[in-house]
């Protein structure tokens, strides 16, 4: 049995499906940043592997900048590169199937390091933040906010922003956690902030009352949730 199938995109985002149905998507700064988890049925995986096998993949050590399909079995890896099969519609069929699976299933945040259970965070109330230069989605977790990768932060800071938040923003930029994508400053990793205001100040670049700025999906301020009162 094939242990896993991976679709590696040109932008270096990657989706892997394992034989037990577990799925992992690793985004890029330009396409769905962060790491995500989901699951499909074993029957769906079996159907996917049957479709992939028709490609007749051969072992290859080449690495190119094209889209790739990779299959593993034990210590063996088989890879087919997009440019090697430009006239073979089967490559596109398999990659389209994987894209279809990715768009149809629910993705929960995943801590790639394995240190935290981000899935549990996603079971909490969903919240969002929208201001002139910043937009973010996340979950209300333990009095703080778990911010989902892909959040857009203000690219500039107000002079009145406390020094602590200015320093924290600089550290996140230096660490690559906040990264410029075109003309936007994007959070490329999921991140847990211990208070709504800390998350809001860092994202907006200005002094903000996060308990009012973060909203639940019905538009109420996060302050109305248990444990978040002013």
């Amino acid at each position: 049995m094939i242990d896993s199938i991976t679709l590696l995109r040109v932008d270096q985002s990657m989706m892997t499906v394992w034989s037990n149905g577990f799925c992992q998507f690793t985004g890029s700064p330009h396409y769905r940043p962060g790491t995500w988890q989901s699951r499909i049925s074993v029957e769906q995986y079996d159907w996917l592997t049957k479709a992939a096998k028709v490609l007749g993949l051969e072992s290859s050590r080449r690495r190119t900048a094209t889209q790739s399909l990779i299959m593993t079995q034990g210590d063996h890896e088989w890879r087919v590169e997009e440019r090697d099969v430009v006239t073979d519609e089967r490559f596109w069929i398999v990659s389209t199937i994987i894209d279809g699976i990715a768009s149809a299933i629910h993705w929960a945040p995943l801590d790639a390091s394995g240190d935290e259970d981000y899935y549990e965070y996603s079971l909490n109330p969903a919240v969002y933040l929208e201001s002139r230069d910043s937009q973010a989605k996340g979950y209300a977790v333990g009095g703080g906010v778990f911010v989902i990768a892909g959040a857009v932060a203000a690219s500039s800071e107000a002079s009145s922003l406390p020094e602590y938040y200015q320093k924290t923003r600089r550290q996140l930029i230096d660490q690559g956690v906040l990264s410029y994508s075109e003309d936007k400053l994007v959070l490329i990793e999921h991140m847990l902030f211990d208070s709504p205001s800390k998350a809001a100040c860092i994202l907006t670049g200005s002094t903000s009352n996060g308990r009012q700025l973060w909203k639940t999906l019905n538009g109420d301020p996060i302050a109305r949730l248990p444990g978040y009162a002013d």
Side-chain angles (χ1 to χ4, degrees), residues 111-117:
D111 178 15
S113 71
D115 293 336
E116 300 287 344
D117 186 0

Side-chain angles (χ1 to χ4, degrees), residues 56-69:
L57 303 184
E58 296 181 357
S59 180
S60 173
R61 292 182 178 275
R62 287 178 297 167
R63 298 291 184 268
T64 68
T66 62
Q67 185 167 256
S68 306
L69 277 171

Side-chain angles (χ1 to χ4, degrees), residues 101-228:
I101 291 173
S103 63
I105 57 181
H106 170 71
W107 291 97
L110 174 68
D111 178 15
S113 71
D115 293 336
E116 300 287 344
D117 186 0
Y118 288 173
Y119 178 77
E120 293 295 326
Y121 293 166
S122 71
L123 302 179
N124 287 271
V127 294
Y128 69 92
L129 177 151
E130 289 185 355
S131 67
R132 186 181 65 178
D133 298 318
S134 54
Q135 302 85 38
K137 296 179 180 179
Y139 299 96
V141 177
V145 176
F146 179 70
V147 182
I148 295 299
V152 177
S155 56
S156 60
E157 301 170 356
S159 58
S160 59
L161 182 67
E163 183 178 351
Y164 168 77
Y165 294 122
Q166 293 185 34
K167 181 178 179 180
T168 301
R169 278 173 57 95
R170 288 194 296 269
Q171 288 175 338
L172 292 175
I173 292 172
D174 291 343
Q175 294 166 358
V177 177
L178 281 173
S179 177
Y180 284 97
S181 177
E182 298 179 351
D183 59 342
K184 296 179 179 179
L185 188 59
V186 178
L187 183 72
I188 65 169
E189 298 179 9
H190 311 304
M191 188 168 183
L192 178 63
F193 293 88
D194 57 17
S195 78
S197 291
K198 182 175 182 179
C201 289
I202 289 174
L203 290 171
T204 63
S206 60
T207 302
S208 304
N209 182 347
R211 287 178 171 79
Q212 296 300 319
L213 197 56
W214 285 98
K215 309 286 186 182
T216 61
L217 295 186
N218 61 10
D220 292 332
I222 197 174
R224 292 192 181 181
L225 293 178
Y228 287 86

